Amino acid sequence: MNAIAGGWGNLGGGITQVLMIGIFELNRSSPSCDDECAWRNAFYIPAFSLLAAAALVYFLGDDCPKGRYIRPSQKSPARAMGTIAVNPQVWILIAQYGACFGVELHVNNIAALYYFERFGVSLATAGLVASLFGLMNLFARAWGGMLSDHCYSRWGMEGRKRVHILLMCGEAITLILFSLQGTFEGAVIVMVFFSIFVQSAEGSTFGIVPYIDPVHTGGVCGFVGAGGNVGAVLWGVIFIYTESFAQ
């Protein structure tokens, strides 16, 4: 369930690629709106959507399907955080999640620009193709979680670890293949397979998380989830000196 909910949440990254380009082009079609005006006006819609979603979650949302979720712990929040922070297994998962979810966030940010500069397609086409990466969340992250559950039923915790390692290796191999593509069509096809491995690895990550520290599962989720965001920043730093993807 975690993988399905997370995957469909990340699906918004792919939908955004399509919608924002469409809104931008719609604004730019107005004679009184140049490129800068079109982008600025396009951001009013996601800003309003975020505020509306936040209000709905605050007033209508529950902690979990059973209502309020409280896991008993004898430790104060500060001590619980300290316990999580010194657990080496948590840091291993943080690094791994940075290498899958962090990669997804960064690719969502630069995929359209990559296709636009590297292959010379229109901005609308680049945004549409880039959306495929996020749209794989429709099933890929859930598939990773379910595959993890299946392997656990067959081989226990060892099964979860092995399938996670295989998915991460698949991500690495398809990323290398993607970087070697010299044609637009080839890059799109390989990117789809790369996306499937990335998001499946995210799902399998959270198949492991609840077993790290069952008493402080929420805290572990927070640490590991933050690792994905930190990973995105680090991947962005790597490309900060890239003047153009056409190089």
Side-chain angles (χ1 to χ4, degrees):
M1 290 302 296
N2 182 295
I4 294 174
W8 280 48
N10 294 346
L11 181 63
I15 295 174
T16 299
Q17 295 277 7
V18 178
L19 291 181
M20 291 299 286
I21 294 295
I23 297 169
F24 167 73
E25 294 290 354
L26 182 64
N27 287 333
R28 197 171 62 164
S29 65
S30 173
S32 60
C33 194
D34 59 12
D35 287 358
E36 182 178 356
C37 166
W39 271 123
R40 290 182 181 277
N41 289 342
F43 278 89
Y44 287 125
I45 293 177
F48 173 79
S49 300
L50 285 169
L51 291 173
L56 290 172
V57 170
Y58 183 80
F59 291 108
L60 303 178
D62 291 323
D63 292 342
C64 65
K66 294 184 179 180
R68 190 178 180 190
Y69 180 74
I70 301 175
R71 184 179 290 276
S73 176
Q74 303 299 318
K75 297 180 179 179
S76 66
R79 290 183 61 197
M81 183 177 294
T83 300
I84 297 168
V86 298
N87 188 333
Q89 297 179 69
V90 173
W91 290 100
I92 292 172
L93 281 181
I94 287 173
Q96 292 178 337
Y97 201 56
C100 51
F101 185 58
V103 168
E104 178 184 358
L105 291 178
H106 184 64
V107 172
N108 281 335
N109 286 336
I110 58 91
L113 180 63
Y114 176 81
Y115 284 109
F116 177 71
E117 293 185 347
R118 171 91 166 143
F119 299 108
V121 299
S122 68
L123 192 59
T125 300
L128 181 62
V129 171
S131 71
L132 293 175
F133 189 86
L135 290 175
M136 293 302 104
N137 274 297
L138 187 64
F139 67 91
R141 181 160 177 157
W143 181 76
M146 291 186 287
L147 186 59
S148 179
D149 289 342
H150 172 72
C151 291
Y152 178 75
S153 68
R154 294 286 301 274
W155 300 290
M157 196 62 201
E158 195 66 26
R160 288 194 189 274
K161 291 188 290 186
R162 288 181 179 179
V163 74
H164 181 62
I165 292 170
L166 288 174
L167 290 171
M168 292 291 289
C169 290
E171 175 190 342
I173 293 169
T174 49
L175 176 57
I176 293 171
L177 292 175
F178 176 71
S179 70
L180 298 176
Q181 299 306 304
T183 65
F184 176 68
E185 295 79 7
V188 173
I189 293 171
V190 177
M191 183 194 69
V192 169
F193 287 99
F194 170 50
S195 176
I196 291 172
F197 277 107
V198 168
Q199 290 146 20
S200 296
E202 295 167 13
S204 65
T205 298
F206 278 89
I208 298 172
V209 163
Y211 299 90
I212 299 299
D213 187 346
V215 177
H216 304 110
T217 299
V220 176
C221 286
F223 270 70
V224 175
N229 296 317
V230 173
V233 173
L234 295 178
W235 300 127
V237 170
I238 292 175
F239 291 98
I240 197 170
Y241 297 109
T242 301
E243 296 182 0
S244 172
F245 289 112
Q247 297 173 350

